[in-house]
Every structure is written in C-alpha cells, then in structure tokens.
Amino acid sequence: MPRWLAAAIAALIIAASAWNAWALEVRDTAHTSDIAQRLDRGEKIDMDLYRQVHAQVAAGQDYYAVATAGNREFTFPTKPFVTVRTPVLAWTSALWGEWGWRVAAALLWSANIAAWFLALGPLASGRERDAAMVLSALFGAVAFIPIIPYSHECLAGLFVSLALALSATRWWVAGLVLAVIGVAIRELAMPFLFAWAAIALVAGHRREPAAVFAAIALVVAGLWLHANAVDAARLPGDMTSPGWKGLFGPSLPLYGIHITTLLQVLPSWLAGPLGVLPLLGWAALGGRLGAFATLWFAGFIFAVAVFARQENFYWMGLFVPAYGVGLAFVPRAFGDLAASFRQTASASPTT
C-alpha cells in the first residue's frame, strides 16, 4: 500500500487503542450507573427471566405463554417480536437440562480451538496457527461461566465462530448448519449469513451462495412463525420497546467485547488496545476468510455503535471466540505496515 495510507492506518490504530483504554472506564461507569437505576425502578435481571421461563417450559407449560407473561412480570416489552427470545434454548433445555448446555458449550469451545487450527492450515504460519488456538481458548472461556445455559448471545457466538472457521474448509456445509443453529438461538446473528452470502458471491462460487440463501430463507420462515406466535400471546396492555437508536458510537460495542471476554480482568491500558487490534489482524489476514471475518465483525460493530442502547452491550457475545483470534495476525499487520514505510517514494524496478 502507499506510504501515506500505511501512515494513516497506523495513526488510526494508535489513536483508537489509546481512546478505547479511556472509553472502557467511562463506559463501565455508565454501565454500573444504568444497572443501579434499573434496579431502583424495580426492574429485574434478564437471566432471572430466562431461568424462570426454562423451568416453566421444562414443567410442561407453553413457551410463548410463559415467555410473554415473564416479560410482563419483569417489566420488559413484548413488541416488536424480537423482544421475546426464540424458543430454541428453552425447548432444548427442557430436553437435556441446564447441564446439557454446559456440556455443549464446553464441546463447542473445544471444537473452536481445533477448527481454527485446521482452517488456518494453508493460510497462516505455524506460529499464527498456534496463537490462534490459544486465543480461541482464552476468548472462548465464556463457555464456562455459570450463566452460559441462559446466555443466548454467547451460545450463539460459539456456534457462529465455529461456522466461520469451517467456512474456510471443505466442511463448509457443516459450518452453515452450525450458523443456522446459532441464528435460531439468537436471531441477532442473522447478518453473519448475509456476510457469508456476499463473500460467496464475490468469490464466484455456485453451490455455496445458493446454500447460504436457502439457509437464510429457512431462518426467515422460522422467524415469521416466531413473530406470529408472539403476536398471538401478546395482550393489549403489553409494553412496546422504545426502539434502538442509541448512537453510543464504537465505545459500546468495544465495551461489550471487553465485558464478555477475559479482557475484563486486564487493566484498561492493556485491554483497550487488545479490544481494537483483532479487527486489524483479520484485515491483515486477507483472502476470503479475512474478508469474511472483517465484514462480519466491522459491520456488526458499526450496527451496534449506531443502534444499541446502553444495556445492549451483551450483544457482543456473538463475537466469542472468533473475534479474538484476529490478534494472531496482528504481527503480520505490523509487518505489512513496516514494509510500506520502508518503501521509497520513487521505488525503482529490480533487475
């Protein structure tokens, strides 16, 4: 790249890293204040609602009846339909219980570690592959938090991250199935499928775009059924969501990445840069996988920066653990930038 562009990227990364170290503390203060205010108003914690709903469904009650009733009890809206979680997690929990999902999360964590090592085989150096495995393990540690059986975002993130890795292998069909499961658990991951379709089309494949669009159609049909079921269970006095137009900027999605990963145990001066640099790493990887990951992560960060409210930081659980794997390619990015700096303004051809 031109030296001026390399200088601009380096300056942007340095500024963003320093700014995020400061923004994390500001956003954490705002988050603590928001939680206190909500509890003072008598509001309850989301996870308590999901525990209650799962227990009632396991006891044989209708999901939509107890889910909408729970939203009313917890002073949550039921309109639009996306304010009520899809029934997938509650229905499956009724089959194999809380420990079933704990085991599934642990297996997904292990599968992500192995999949990233395999997917990067022809794309990365041995050191980068080893680093990717370690980073996948560290950023995927959320799989072992106590509330994982009720965290729609983190469970969906484990599925989607595994799907991203498998999309670069001959097992991409299995990855697509996993992506559909992730979106079925948390429909907020739907843009992942659109990013996949866009990359597959640009790559010039035939079967893959058709399969991805078929998966999108399947998910849309499921969401249509979900919307109708929520509408049927809604009562005239139910609350309506105030909408999503938070305009908090990138500080909110970066804080969400921070709080849903082990970055939260690090000091802000270190966690700030480590929350920003994975995006640079994924861009530096290049190729189809690098483009796919960059489009998914950058696009979702932009959407959350524009639309999410303060309490929606947990949406970033959809990134674990794949986002953190991008740190493995940061040395490559720094090398590319350094190489651009070393170029002379009037480079002569070699003979």
Side-chain angles (χ1 to χ4, degrees):
M1 68 182 71
R3 295 172 69 183
W4 67 266
L5 181 56
I9 292 174
L12 177 62
I13 291 299
I14 293 171
S17 297
W19 169 81
N20 193 38
W22 165 81
L24 288 176
E25 296 186 1
V26 174
R27 187 55 53 204
D28 191 60
T29 300
H31 169 63
T32 303
S33 175
D34 176 68
I35 292 294
Q37 292 176 13
R38 292 170 65 190
L39 292 176
D40 287 343
R41 291 196 299 265
E43 297 184 16
K44 300 179 182 179
I45 301 174
D46 297 26
M47 294 301 168
D48 290 339
L49 169 62
Y50 305 143
R51 284 191 185 92
Q52 175 178 299
V53 170
H54 287 198
Q56 292 172 325
V57 172
Q61 299 187 56
D62 175 71
Y63 171 77
Y64 288 99
V66 298
T68 53
N71 275 35
R72 295 183 202 104
E73 178 186 343
F74 280 62
T75 65
F76 294 160
T78 63
K79 187 177 181 180
F81 73 93
V82 291
T83 59
V84 178
R85 294 289 179 268
T86 62
V88 175
L89 205 54
W91 284 347
T92 52
S93 293
L95 292 176
W96 55 64
E98 174 183 308
W99 276 99
W101 271 115
R102 293 192 190 281
V103 172
L107 292 174
L108 287 167
W109 175 78
S110 303
N112 266 279
I113 296 171
W116 282 112
F117 184 80
L118 294 173
L120 295 172
L123 307 174
S125 67
R127 289 183 178 180
E128 287 175 330
R129 294 171 72 191
D130 292 341
M133 290 179 65
V134 173
L135 290 164
S136 179
L138 292 174
F139 276 79
V142 69
F144 301 99
I145 62 174
I147 60 172
I148 191 63
Y150 310 102
S151 178
H152 298 77
E153 287 77 15
C154 290
L155 284 172
L158 289 165
F159 277 103
V160 169
S161 291
L162 184 53
L164 179 61
L166 293 179
S167 73
T169 70
R170 65 176 182 272
W171 301 294
W172 64 267
V173 174
L176 186 57
V177 172
L178 291 168
V180 170
I181 295 173
V183 178
I185 292 173
R186 189 62 169 108
E187 76 290 338
L188 203 61
M190 186 76 162
F192 178 83
L193 291 175
F194 287 108
W196 191 338
I199 293 299
L201 285 171
V202 172
H205 296 291
R206 295 181 179 179
R207 293 173 51 205
E208 191 173 350
V212 177
F213 281 119
I216 291 172
L218 178 64
V219 171
V220 168
L223 290 177
W224 179 78
L225 293 173
H226 174 62
N228 285 326
V230 173
D231 287 341
R234 187 179 293 124
L235 297 179
D238 284 3
M239 294 175 57
T240 299
S241 171
W244 292 271
K245 48 184 177 180
L247 296 175
F248 278 98
S251 66
L252 187 59
L254 290 173
Y255 177 70
I257 292 169
H258 174 79
I259 207 69
T260 56
T261 65
L262 288 178
L263 292 179
Q264 62 179 291
V265 305
L266 300 177
S268 296
W269 62 265
L270 180 57
L274 291 179
V276 172
L277 289 173
L279 197 57
L280 174 67
W282 279 117
L285 177 63
R288 175 197 163 100
L289 180 59
F292 186 1
T294 303
L295 179 60
W296 160 234
F297 294 132
F300 195 76
I301 285 173
F302 175 80
V304 174
V306 173
F307 299 108
R309 301 192 297 261
Q310 170 63 48
E311 64 268 26
N312 300 139
F313 69 89
Y314 58 86
W315 289 357
M316 305 311 295
L318 294 174
F319 275 17
V320 294
Y323 180 77
V325 173
L327 283 173
F329 315 116
V330 171
R332 179 191 297 213
F334 288 161
D336 290 345
L337 293 174
S340 296
F341 285 134
R342 288 194 296 266
Q343 292 181 120
T344 60
S346 56
S348 58
T350 58
T351 57

